[in-house]
Amino acid sequence: MSNPPLEAELDALFAPLFDDLLEQASVAEAIVDKDRYRILVATLWMNVVLRPASVGLDESHLEPLHDVLNRRIERVLGPGESIRSCFRFLNGRDGEQAMQTARLTPEHKDMLLYFASMILDPERHRQWMDEIRRSRSR
């Protein structure tokens, strides 16, 4: 369920950050490196989810922020684009190349791919984590 007043507050709160991400991904005034933008947006989302308190939020703010961020993403990348599509991109061959080009550290790349597994296939991610836990307890 959407909460428009909260979403408007979150949009205003994060507007400078959203603008900065767009600026960092811009190659020229009207040209955006969409691959870089996807990496930046996915990194932002990953960090906010991991530590919402670090940006003055709690878990109840994540869903409305998710909606706000999806609208921002659509404005830059086009209709149907979302946080999910950014992680889907990063999980593929083109995303792998984009992360290499961006010279992400192995830890940064691994965390983005970890989040991609949670977002794109949560059931398989749960099974995978259960297998890891079982193998560690042996």
Side-chain angles (χ1 to χ4, degrees):
M1 175 161 18
S2 178
N3 187 338
L6 179 57
E7 287 180 15
E9 291 173 33
L10 290 170
D11 191 56
L13 177 68
F14 279 84
L17 182 56
F18 295 146
D19 293 344
D20 186 53
L21 293 180
L22 184 56
E23 185 178 316
Q24 287 183 48
S26 294
V27 180
E29 191 169 316
I31 300 172
V32 174
D33 179 336
K34 291 182 177 185
D35 294 351
R36 180 155 174 72
Y37 185 77
R38 287 180 177 105
I39 291 169
L40 293 169
V41 165
T43 300
L44 167 67
W45 184 246
M46 177 181 70
N47 280 295
V48 169
V49 168
L50 286 172
R51 297 183 56 217
S54 70
V55 290
L57 303 179
D58 61 44
E59 285 188 30
S60 70
H61 295 109
L62 293 178
E63 187 175 341
L65 181 60
H66 183 273
D67 295 340
V68 168
L69 186 52
N70 279 339
R71 283 192 295 279
R72 291 284 187 147
I73 291 168
E74 275 200 337
R75 287 185 216 158
V76 175
L77 300 178
E81 295 290 330
S82 64
I83 294 169
R84 184 178 179 83
S85 69
C86 289
F87 280 101
R88 188 178 313 113
F89 168 79
L90 294 175
N91 200 46
R93 186 180 312 241
D94 290 340
E96 175 72 29
Q97 181 60 50
M99 289 187 285
Q100 283 181 339
T101 300
R103 301 175 202 253
L104 299 187
T105 65
E107 294 81 11
H108 186 174
K109 179 183 161 197
D110 288 347
M111 283 301 295
L112 287 172
L113 294 176
Y114 179 80
F115 262 71
S117 77
M118 283 192 296
I119 290 168
L120 301 175
D121 193 350
E123 183 56 36
R124 179 140 163 59
H125 177 78
R126 275 190 286 281
Q127 291 170 352
W128 177 55
M129 291 307 297
D130 288 344
E131 288 173 22
I132 291 171
R133 284 186 204 100
R134 279 193 300 273
S135 70
R136 287 182 180 166
S137 66
R138 291 180 188 164

